[in-house]
Amino acid sequence: MQNSDYESIISKAKRIPFLFYLTKWLFFSALIGILAGSASAFFLVALDFLTNWRENHLWIITFLPIAGLAIGLAYHYWGSDVAKGNNLILEEFQNPNKPIPLKMVPLVLLSTLATHLFGGSAGREGTAVQMGAAISDQFSKLFSLNENDRKILLIIGISAGFAAVFGTPLAGAVFAIEVLVLKNLKTDAIFPSLIAAFIADFTCLAWNVSHSTYSIPIVPELGIINLLWTVFVGIIFGMVAWFFSKSMETWSSLFKKWVKYAPFRPMIGGIVIALAVFFIADTKYIGLGIPTIQSAFNNDLAPYDFILKILFTSFTIGAGFKGGEVTPLFFIGATLGNALVWIVPLPLALLAGMGFAAVFAGASNTPIACTLMGIELFGVESAVFIGIACLLSYFFSGHKGIYGSQNQSRLKKGFYKKLGLG
Protein backbone atom coordinates (compact mmCIF):
# COMPACT_ATOMS: atom_id res chain seq x y z
CA MET A 1 0.00 0.00 0.00
CA GLN A 2 1.39 3.41 -0.98
CA ASN A 3 1.77 6.39 1.34
CA SER A 4 -1.03 8.20 -0.49
CA ASP A 5 -3.40 5.35 0.38
CA TYR A 6 -2.50 5.61 4.07
CA GLU A 7 -3.02 9.36 4.00
CA SER A 8 -6.42 8.90 2.34
CA ILE A 9 -7.54 6.41 5.00
CA ILE A 10 -6.34 8.66 7.82
CA SER A 11 -8.03 11.66 6.27
CA LYS A 12 -11.34 9.79 6.00
CA ALA A 13 -11.02 8.58 9.60
CA LYS A 14 -10.54 12.13 10.80
CA ARG A 15 -13.72 13.21 9.05
CA ILE A 16 -15.92 10.71 10.89
CA PRO A 17 -15.85 12.47 14.31
CA PHE A 18 -16.49 15.83 12.63
CA LEU A 19 -19.43 14.48 10.61
CA PHE A 20 -20.84 12.87 13.76
CA TYR A 21 -20.45 16.17 15.65
CA LEU A 22 -22.08 18.08 12.80
CA THR A 23 -25.02 15.69 12.41
CA LYS A 24 -25.67 15.38 16.13
CA TRP A 25 -25.72 19.07 16.88
CA LEU A 26 -27.64 19.98 13.74
CA PHE A 27 -30.35 17.58 14.92
CA PHE A 28 -30.48 18.92 18.49
CA SER A 29 -30.16 22.55 17.43
CA ALA A 30 -33.00 22.27 14.92
CA LEU A 31 -35.25 20.34 17.29
CA ILE A 32 -34.71 22.67 20.26
CA GLY A 33 -34.81 25.75 18.05
CA ILE A 34 -38.24 24.80 16.72
CA LEU A 35 -39.62 23.86 20.15
CA ALA A 36 -38.20 26.87 22.00
CA GLY A 37 -39.12 29.22 19.15
CA SER A 38 -42.71 27.95 19.13
CA ALA A 39 -42.98 28.22 22.92
CA SER A 40 -41.61 31.78 22.79
CA ALA A 41 -44.01 32.68 19.99
CA PHE A 42 -46.98 31.52 22.05
CA PHE A 43 -45.62 33.40 25.05
CA LEU A 44 -45.18 36.65 23.11
CA VAL A 45 -48.66 36.49 21.56
CA ALA A 46 -50.26 35.77 24.93
CA LEU A 47 -48.21 38.49 26.61
CA ASP A 48 -49.20 41.08 24.02
CA PHE A 49 -52.88 40.13 24.30
CA LEU A 50 -52.91 40.25 28.11
CA THR A 51 -50.97 43.53 28.23
CA ASN A 52 -53.47 45.20 25.88
CA TRP A 53 -56.37 43.76 27.86
CA ARG A 54 -54.92 45.10 31.13
CA GLU A 55 -54.43 48.57 29.69
CA ASN A 56 -58.12 48.63 28.69
CA HIS A 57 -59.32 47.20 32.03
CA LEU A 58 -57.17 48.84 34.68
CA TRP A 59 -59.40 47.59 37.47
CA ILE A 60 -57.62 44.22 37.07
CA ILE A 61 -54.58 45.68 38.88
CA THR A 62 -56.65 45.58 42.08
CA PHE A 63 -56.24 41.80 42.01
CA LEU A 64 -52.43 41.86 41.82
CA PRO A 65 -52.11 40.74 45.49
CA ILE A 66 -54.31 37.69 44.79
CA ALA A 67 -52.22 36.87 41.71
CA GLY A 68 -49.11 37.23 43.84
CA LEU A 69 -50.49 34.81 46.42
CA ALA A 70 -51.37 32.30 43.70
CA ILE A 71 -47.86 32.53 42.22
CA GLY A 72 -46.32 32.19 45.67
CA LEU A 73 -48.43 29.14 46.53
CA ALA A 74 -47.69 27.48 43.18
CA TYR A 75 -43.94 27.74 43.61
CA HIS A 76 -44.02 26.96 47.33
CA TYR A 77 -45.95 23.71 46.98
CA TRP A 78 -45.26 22.55 43.41
CA GLY A 79 -42.25 24.44 42.15
CA SER A 80 -39.77 24.83 44.98
CA ASP A 81 -37.16 22.90 42.98
CA VAL A 82 -37.41 25.35 40.04
CA ALA A 83 -37.99 28.56 42.01
CA LYS A 84 -34.42 29.77 41.41
CA GLY A 85 -35.23 30.24 37.74
CA ASN A 86 -32.24 31.44 35.72
CA ASN A 87 -29.93 30.81 38.65
CA LEU A 88 -30.94 27.14 38.66
CA ILE A 89 -29.79 26.90 35.04
CA LEU A 90 -26.47 28.52 35.93
CA GLU A 91 -25.98 26.17 38.87
CA GLU A 92 -26.79 23.08 36.82
CA PHE A 93 -24.31 24.21 34.17
CA GLN A 94 -21.54 24.78 36.70
CA ASN A 95 -22.24 21.73 38.88
CA PRO A 96 -24.50 19.24 37.07
CA ASN A 97 -26.81 17.45 39.47
CA LYS A 98 -30.06 16.43 37.80
CA PRO A 99 -32.09 17.44 34.73
CA ILE A 100 -34.12 20.62 35.05
CA PRO A 101 -37.75 19.57 35.66
CA LEU A 102 -40.03 20.14 32.68
CA LYS A 103 -42.61 21.68 35.01
CA MET A 104 -40.45 24.81 34.93
CA VAL A 105 -42.02 25.58 31.53
CA PRO A 106 -45.71 25.87 32.53
CA LEU A 107 -44.90 27.36 35.93
CA VAL A 108 -42.76 30.22 34.65
CA LEU A 109 -45.01 30.77 31.62
CA LEU A 110 -48.26 31.06 33.58
CA SER A 111 -46.66 32.99 36.45
CA THR A 112 -45.09 35.55 34.10
CA LEU A 113 -48.34 36.02 32.21
CA ALA A 114 -50.16 36.53 35.52
CA THR A 115 -47.52 39.03 36.65
CA HIS A 116 -48.08 41.11 33.52
CA LEU A 117 -51.85 40.73 33.38
CA PHE A 118 -52.35 42.00 36.93
CA GLY A 119 -49.82 44.83 36.77
CA GLY A 120 -46.38 43.71 37.93
CA SER A 121 -43.23 45.21 36.43
CA ALA A 122 -41.15 42.46 34.85
CA GLY A 123 -39.60 41.35 31.60
CA ARG A 124 -39.83 38.33 29.35
CA GLU A 125 -36.32 37.02 28.72
CA GLY A 126 -36.26 35.04 31.97
CA THR A 127 -39.34 33.15 30.90
CA ALA A 128 -38.05 32.41 27.39
CA VAL A 129 -34.63 31.36 28.67
CA GLN A 130 -36.10 29.09 31.35
CA MET A 131 -38.50 27.49 28.89
CA GLY A 132 -35.72 26.95 26.36
CA ALA A 133 -33.31 25.48 28.92
CA ALA A 134 -35.93 23.23 30.51
CA ILE A 135 -37.05 21.91 27.12
CA SER A 136 -33.50 21.29 25.91
CA ASP A 137 -32.41 19.58 29.14
CA GLN A 138 -35.05 16.89 28.72
CA PHE A 139 -33.06 15.49 25.80
CA SER A 140 -29.96 15.00 27.95
CA LYS A 141 -31.81 12.32 29.91
CA LEU A 142 -33.70 10.93 26.93
CA PHE A 143 -30.50 10.37 24.94
CA SER A 144 -28.25 9.64 27.96
CA LEU A 145 -25.84 12.42 27.03
CA ASN A 146 -22.64 13.00 28.97
CA GLU A 147 -21.93 16.05 31.11
CA ASN A 148 -20.24 18.06 28.36
CA ASP A 149 -23.05 17.44 25.89
CA ARG A 150 -25.60 18.39 28.54
CA LYS A 151 -23.86 21.73 28.99
CA ILE A 152 -24.06 22.35 25.26
CA LEU A 153 -27.77 21.50 25.35
CA LEU A 154 -28.33 24.11 28.07
CA ILE A 155 -26.47 26.68 25.98
CA ILE A 156 -28.64 25.78 22.99
CA GLY A 157 -31.83 26.18 25.03
CA ILE A 158 -30.82 29.58 26.39
CA SER A 159 -29.68 30.74 22.95
CA ALA A 160 -32.95 29.67 21.30
CA GLY A 161 -35.16 31.24 23.96
CA PHE A 162 -33.29 34.55 24.00
CA ALA A 163 -33.05 34.83 20.21
CA ALA A 164 -36.73 34.06 19.68
CA VAL A 165 -38.07 36.50 22.24
CA PHE A 166 -36.00 39.48 21.06
CA GLY A 167 -35.41 38.66 17.39
CA THR A 168 -31.63 38.87 17.81
CA PRO A 169 -30.08 35.50 16.89
CA LEU A 170 -26.44 36.60 16.98
CA ALA A 171 -26.84 38.19 20.39
CA GLY A 172 -28.82 35.19 21.61
CA ALA A 173 -26.11 32.73 20.57
CA VAL A 174 -23.33 34.72 22.20
CA PHE A 175 -25.41 35.60 25.28
CA ALA A 176 -25.96 31.90 26.03
CA ILE A 177 -22.22 31.23 26.01
CA GLU A 178 -21.14 34.49 27.64
CA VAL A 179 -23.61 34.37 30.54
CA LEU A 180 -22.71 30.77 31.39
CA VAL A 181 -19.01 30.58 30.57
CA LEU A 182 -17.29 33.71 31.79
CA LYS A 183 -14.00 32.03 32.64
CA ASN A 184 -13.27 29.93 29.55
CA LEU A 185 -14.92 30.11 26.17
CA LYS A 186 -16.73 26.89 25.32
CA THR A 187 -15.83 26.73 21.63
CA ASP A 188 -17.61 23.45 20.91
CA ALA A 189 -20.92 25.15 21.76
CA ILE A 190 -20.56 28.04 19.32
CA PHE A 191 -21.86 26.22 16.22
CA PRO A 192 -24.95 24.59 17.81
CA SER A 193 -25.73 27.78 19.72
CA LEU A 194 -25.76 29.81 16.50
CA ILE A 195 -27.85 27.27 14.60
CA ALA A 196 -30.42 27.00 17.41
CA ALA A 197 -30.66 30.80 17.70
CA PHE A 198 -31.34 31.32 14.00
CA ILE A 199 -33.83 28.45 13.81
CA ALA A 200 -35.67 29.68 16.92
CA ASP A 201 -35.84 33.21 15.52
CA PHE A 202 -37.07 31.91 12.16
CA THR A 203 -39.65 29.70 13.90
CA CYS A 204 -40.97 32.63 15.90
CA LEU A 205 -41.27 34.74 12.75
CA ALA A 206 -42.95 31.83 10.96
CA TRP A 207 -45.70 32.01 13.59
CA ASN A 208 -46.23 35.66 12.45
CA VAL A 209 -44.81 37.09 15.67
CA SER A 210 -43.16 40.48 15.14
CA HIS A 211 -40.61 42.24 17.31
CA SER A 212 -40.22 45.83 18.45
CA THR A 213 -38.17 48.05 16.14
CA TYR A 214 -35.85 50.92 17.00
CA SER A 215 -33.82 53.40 14.99
CA ILE A 216 -30.73 55.56 15.49
CA PRO A 217 -30.88 57.91 12.49
CA ILE A 218 -27.88 60.10 13.34
CA VAL A 219 -24.48 58.72 14.38
CA PRO A 220 -21.69 61.31 14.62
CA GLU A 221 -17.98 60.66 14.08
CA LEU A 222 -16.30 59.26 17.16
CA GLY A 223 -13.46 61.75 17.64
CA ILE A 224 -11.71 62.39 20.94
CA ILE A 225 -14.48 64.53 22.46
CA ASN A 226 -17.25 62.10 21.60
CA LEU A 227 -15.06 59.24 22.81
CA LEU A 228 -14.70 60.90 26.21
CA TRP A 229 -18.45 61.47 26.42
CA THR A 230 -19.03 57.83 25.49
CA VAL A 231 -16.69 56.69 28.25
CA PHE A 232 -18.49 58.98 30.69
CA VAL A 233 -21.98 57.69 29.88
CA GLY A 234 -20.71 54.10 29.82
CA ILE A 235 -19.57 54.49 33.42
CA ILE A 236 -22.93 56.02 34.36
CA PHE A 237 -24.76 53.12 32.72
CA GLY A 238 -22.62 50.67 34.68
CA MET A 239 -23.32 52.39 37.98
CA VAL A 240 -27.07 52.33 37.30
CA ALA A 241 -26.84 48.63 36.36
CA TRP A 242 -25.16 48.03 39.73
CA PHE A 243 -27.90 49.96 41.50
CA PHE A 244 -30.59 47.90 39.80
CA SER A 245 -28.92 44.60 40.73
CA LYS A 246 -28.36 45.80 44.29
CA SER A 247 -31.98 46.95 44.57
CA MET A 248 -33.26 43.52 43.53
CA GLU A 249 -30.97 41.82 46.01
CA THR A 250 -32.01 44.21 48.80
CA TRP A 251 -35.76 43.81 48.26
CA SER A 252 -35.42 40.04 48.05
CA SER A 253 -33.43 39.94 51.30
CA LEU A 254 -35.92 42.20 53.10
CA PHE A 255 -38.90 40.10 52.02
CA LYS A 256 -37.16 36.90 53.13
CA LYS A 257 -36.25 38.47 56.45
CA TRP A 258 -39.61 40.00 57.34
CA VAL A 259 -42.05 37.65 55.60
CA LYS A 260 -41.23 34.08 56.59
CA TYR A 261 -44.05 32.37 54.70
CA ALA A 262 -42.93 32.60 51.07
CA PRO A 263 -46.40 32.78 49.38
CA PHE A 264 -47.21 35.93 51.35
CA ARG A 265 -44.24 37.80 49.88
CA PRO A 266 -45.66 38.43 46.39
CA MET A 267 -49.09 39.01 47.93
CA ILE A 268 -47.75 41.83 50.12
CA GLY A 269 -45.64 43.09 47.25
CA GLY A 270 -48.75 43.10 45.06
CA ILE A 271 -50.59 45.29 47.56
CA VAL A 272 -47.77 47.85 47.54
CA ILE A 273 -47.41 47.85 43.74
CA ALA A 274 -51.16 48.19 43.12
CA LEU A 275 -51.40 51.10 45.57
CA ALA A 276 -48.39 52.77 43.95
CA VAL A 277 -49.88 52.47 40.46
CA PHE A 278 -53.19 53.99 41.54
CA PHE A 279 -51.39 56.70 43.53
CA ILE A 280 -49.29 57.93 40.60
CA ALA A 281 -52.21 57.30 38.19
CA ASP A 282 -49.89 56.01 35.48
CA THR A 283 -49.20 52.51 34.17
CA LYS A 284 -46.03 53.31 32.22
CA TYR A 285 -43.82 51.78 34.93
CA ILE A 286 -45.50 48.35 35.03
CA GLY A 287 -45.34 45.55 32.47
CA LEU A 288 -42.70 45.69 29.75
CA GLY A 289 -42.92 49.42 29.03
CA ILE A 290 -42.17 49.02 25.32
CA PRO A 291 -44.07 52.19 24.25
CA THR A 292 -41.88 54.22 26.60
CA ILE A 293 -38.72 52.51 25.32
CA GLN A 294 -39.65 53.39 21.74
CA SER A 295 -40.54 56.94 22.75
CA ALA A 296 -37.12 57.36 24.38
CA PHE A 297 -35.52 57.30 20.92
CA ASN A 298 -37.60 60.21 19.63
CA ASN A 299 -39.06 62.36 22.41
CA ASP A 300 -38.00 64.09 25.59
CA LEU A 301 -39.14 62.08 28.62
CA ALA A 302 -39.30 62.75 32.34
CA PRO A 303 -35.75 62.55 33.77
CA TYR A 304 -36.94 60.34 36.63
CA ASP A 305 -38.50 57.61 34.47
CA PHE A 306 -35.53 55.28 34.84
CA ILE A 307 -35.53 55.64 38.64
CA LEU A 308 -39.21 54.72 38.96
CA LYS A 309 -38.75 51.75 36.63
CA ILE A 310 -35.88 50.52 38.81
CA LEU A 311 -38.06 50.76 41.90
CA PHE A 312 -41.11 49.07 40.35
CA THR A 313 -39.14 46.24 38.74
CA SER A 314 -36.71 45.49 41.57
CA PHE A 315 -39.62 45.48 44.02
CA THR A 316 -41.73 43.24 41.77
CA ILE A 317 -38.99 40.64 41.26
CA GLY A 318 -37.71 40.96 44.82
CA ALA A 319 -41.18 40.23 46.15
CA GLY A 320 -41.31 36.95 44.25
CA PHE A 321 -43.22 37.70 41.06
CA LYS A 322 -41.95 35.97 37.93
CA GLY A 323 -40.62 37.33 34.66
CA GLY A 324 -37.33 38.60 33.37
CA GLU A 325 -35.27 41.66 34.03
CA VAL A 326 -33.99 42.41 30.54
CA THR A 327 -36.83 44.42 28.99
CA PRO A 328 -37.11 46.57 32.14
CA LEU A 329 -33.33 47.07 31.83
CA PHE A 330 -33.90 48.21 28.24
CA PHE A 331 -36.48 50.68 29.62
CA ILE A 332 -34.08 51.87 32.32
CA GLY A 333 -31.16 52.24 29.93
CA ALA A 334 -33.11 53.95 27.15
CA THR A 335 -34.81 56.45 29.47
CA LEU A 336 -31.54 57.11 31.30
CA GLY A 337 -29.85 57.83 27.97
CA ASN A 338 -32.80 60.04 27.11
CA ALA A 339 -32.30 61.99 30.35
CA LEU A 340 -28.54 62.37 29.77
CA VAL A 341 -29.15 64.32 26.56
CA TRP A 342 -29.46 67.45 28.72
CA ILE A 343 -25.79 67.23 29.75
CA VAL A 344 -24.19 65.06 27.06
CA PRO A 345 -23.85 66.55 23.52
CA LEU A 346 -24.66 63.34 21.65
CA PRO A 347 -27.82 62.61 19.58
CA LEU A 348 -30.87 61.61 21.60
CA ALA A 349 -31.50 58.31 19.81
CA LEU A 350 -27.83 57.32 20.09
CA LEU A 351 -27.81 57.93 23.85
CA ALA A 352 -31.04 55.96 24.22
CA GLY A 353 -29.60 53.07 22.18
CA MET A 354 -26.33 53.09 24.11
CA GLY A 355 -28.23 52.99 27.39
CA PHE A 356 -30.57 50.30 26.06
CA ALA A 357 -27.66 47.92 25.44
CA ALA A 358 -25.15 49.06 28.06
CA VAL A 359 -27.29 48.89 31.21
CA PHE A 360 -28.22 45.34 30.27
CA ALA A 361 -24.55 44.57 29.58
CA GLY A 362 -23.56 45.76 33.03
CA ALA A 363 -26.36 43.99 34.86
CA SER A 364 -25.91 40.66 33.06
CA ASN A 365 -22.10 40.72 32.60
CA THR A 366 -22.49 40.12 28.86
CA PRO A 367 -20.86 43.06 27.02
CA ILE A 368 -20.16 41.14 23.80
CA ALA A 369 -23.71 39.84 23.41
CA CYS A 370 -25.14 43.28 24.18
CA THR A 371 -22.90 44.93 21.60
CA LEU A 372 -24.12 42.43 19.01
CA MET A 373 -27.70 43.07 20.11
CA GLY A 374 -27.16 46.79 19.56
CA ILE A 375 -25.85 46.12 16.07
CA GLU A 376 -28.77 43.81 15.23
CA LEU A 377 -31.38 46.25 16.54
CA PHE A 378 -29.91 49.65 15.62
CA GLY A 379 -27.50 49.00 12.74
CA VAL A 380 -23.75 48.67 12.45
CA GLU A 381 -23.21 52.45 12.22
CA SER A 382 -23.55 52.84 16.00
CA ALA A 383 -21.47 49.75 16.83
CA VAL A 384 -18.38 51.56 18.17
CA PHE A 385 -20.38 53.82 20.49
CA ILE A 386 -22.47 50.92 21.78
CA GLY A 387 -19.47 48.62 22.15
CA ILE A 388 -17.51 51.13 24.23
CA ALA A 389 -20.53 51.90 26.40
CA CYS A 390 -21.22 48.18 26.98
CA LEU A 391 -17.61 47.47 27.91
CA LEU A 392 -17.40 50.40 30.35
CA SER A 393 -20.76 49.50 31.85
CA TYR A 394 -19.58 45.92 32.33
CA PHE A 395 -16.49 46.99 34.24
CA PHE A 396 -18.28 49.56 36.42
CA SER A 397 -21.34 47.49 37.35
CA GLY A 398 -19.89 45.91 40.48
CA HIS A 399 -19.01 42.37 41.45
CA LYS A 400 -22.48 40.85 41.01
CA GLY A 401 -25.22 41.22 38.46
CA ILE A 402 -28.81 40.13 38.14
CA TYR A 403 -27.77 36.46 38.05
CA GLY A 404 -26.48 35.73 41.53
CA SER A 405 -25.12 32.28 40.65
CA GLN A 406 -23.02 33.59 37.76
CA ASN A 407 -19.26 33.14 38.03
CA GLN A 408 -17.27 36.34 37.60
CA SER A 409 -14.71 36.45 34.80
CA ARG A 410 -11.00 36.64 35.51
CA LEU A 411 -10.89 39.86 33.47
CA LYS A 412 -13.35 41.62 35.76
CA LYS A 413 -11.75 40.20 38.89
CA GLY A 414 -8.39 41.51 37.74
CA PHE A 415 -9.87 44.93 37.03
CA TYR A 416 -11.32 45.24 40.53
CA LYS A 417 -8.15 43.88 42.10
CA LYS A 418 -6.11 46.61 40.41
CA LEU A 419 -8.55 49.19 41.79
CA GLY A 420 -8.13 47.67 45.25
CA LEU A 421 -11.80 46.58 45.30
CA GLY A 422 -11.47 42.84 44.68
Side-chain angles (χ1 to χ4, degrees):
M1 188 177 289
Q2 298 180 352
N3 289 337
S4 59
D5 294 328
Y6 280 116
E7 291 173 359
S8 177
I9 293 172
I10 293 171
S11 176
K12 290 178 180 178
K14 287 181 178 179
R15 290 179 198 152
I16 293 174
F18 173 74
L19 289 174
F20 177 72
Y21 165 87
L22 189 67
T23 303
K24 179 174 72 173
W25 291 117
L26 275 174
F27 168 73
F28 282 122
S29 296
L31 181 60
I32 295 167
I34 292 171
L35 291 174
S38 297
S40 294
F42 172 80
F43 170 56
L44 290 175
V45 170
L47 186 59
D48 187 54
F49 173 80
L50 293 177
T51 298
N52 291 332
W53 196 92
R54 184 198 67 223
E55 289 301 302
N56 291 306
H57 305 83
L58 294 181
W59 54 265
I60 197 71
I61 299 173
T62 307
F63 295 96
L64 182 60
I66 297 175
L69 179 62
I71 292 170
L73 288 170
Y75 273 89
H76 187 70
Y77 289 104
W78 299 295
S80 58
D81 52 345
V82 296
K84 290 183 178 180
N86 289 342
N87 284 313
L88 174 63
I89 301 169
L90 289 164
E91 291 171 8
E92 281 298 323
F93 183 88
Q94 296 158 10
N95 300 295
N97 183 21
K98 59 181 180 180
I100 297 170
L102 187 59
K103 65 183 176 182
M104 173 181 269
V105 175
L107 275 172
V108 73
L109 173 63
L110 295 175
S111 296
T112 303
L113 292 175
T115 296
H116 284 276
L117 171 62
F118 292 97
S121 176
R124 51 192 173 172
E125 117 290 340
T127 305
V129 163
Q130 289 172 48
M131 289 195 300
I135 290 170
S136 66
D137 205 23
Q138 305 312 304
F139 296 106
S140 65
K141 183 178 181 180
L142 182 63
F143 289 90
S144 300
L145 299 180
N146 60 36
E147 183 178 306
N148 183 68
D149 285 351
R150 186 189 175 210
K151 289 184 176 183
I152 297 178
L153 274 184
L154 289 174
I155 289 174
I156 289 174
I158 293 172
S159 170
F162 191 98
V165 84
F166 292 122
T168 54
L170 283 177
V174 175
F175 174 82
I177 298 173
E178 196 174 14
V179 76
L180 289 172
V181 195
L182 287 175
K183 290 185 176 180
N184 299 294
L185 179 63
K186 194 166 182 59
T187 54
D188 54 347
I190 295 175
F191 169 74
S193 182
L194 277 169
I195 297 299
F198 277 99
I199 290 177
D201 181 43
F202 176 80
T203 300
C204 197
L205 293 174
W207 285 109
N208 293 320
V209 176
S210 59
H211 299 285
S212 304
T213 57
Y214 309 93
S215 174
I216 300 178
I218 301 174
V219 179
E221 293 185 5
L222 188 59
I224 186 64
I225 301 300
N226 286 341
L227 173 62
L228 292 174
W229 281 117
T230 303
V231 170
F232 169 73
V233 297
I235 294 172
I236 298 297
F237 294 143
M239 294 171 67
V240 170
W242 169 84
F243 181 68
F244 176 82
S245 301
K246 192 66 178 176
S247 297
M248 277 200 354
E249 181 185 347
T250 300
W251 287 123
S252 179
S253 297
L254 288 174
F255 271 104
K256 289 176 181 178
K257 179 179 179 180
W258 295 108
V259 185
K260 299 301 181 183
Y261 186 55
F264 284 166
R265 294 169 193 162
M267 182 186 74
I268 295 171
I271 295 172
V272 175
I273 295 167
L275 289 174
V277 171
F278 289 123
F279 176 77
I280 66 175
D282 198 336
T283 60
K284 70 187 295 186
Y285 305 111
I286 61 175
L288 295 174
I290 289 176
T292 303
I293 297 173
Q294 293 175 321
S295 181
F297 285 78
N298 303 295
N299 306 302
D300 292 332
L301 302 178
Y304 52 78
D305 278 346
F306 75 96
I307 298 174
L308 289 178
K309 188 61 173 177
I310 289 175
L311 292 174
F312 270 89
T313 305
S314 61
F315 191 84
T316 297
I317 303 298
F321 284 94
K322 299 302 176 181
E325 302 90 356
V326 174
T327 306
L329 285 168
F330 293 162
F331 182 115
I332 294 163
T335 53
L336 172 59
N338 184 282
L340 288 173
V341 76
W342 296 104
I343 59 173
V344 177
L346 290 174
L348 174 66
L350 179 61
L351 282 170
M354 290 163 65
F356 181 108
V359 173
F360 174 36
S364 63
N365 289 309
T366 57
I368 301 173
C370 291
T371 300
L372 289 173
M373 172 176 273
I375 293 172
E376 288 184 286
L377 291 176
F378 312 130
V380 71
E381 296 81 7
S382 57
V384 176
F385 287 93
I386 290 172
I388 294 171
C390 286
L391 189 62
L392 268 295
S393 178
Y394 165 70
F395 280 117
F396 284 88
S397 60
H399 289 282
K400 293 183 179 181
I402 54 178
Y403 308 125
S405 297
Q406 188 181 39
N407 286 327
Q408 195 178 103
S409 70
R410 292 193 183 101
L411 184 64
K412 197 168 187 179
K413 283 183 178 178
F415 174 75
Y416 280 103
K417 190 173 182 180
K418 287 181 180 179
L419 292 179
L421 300 173

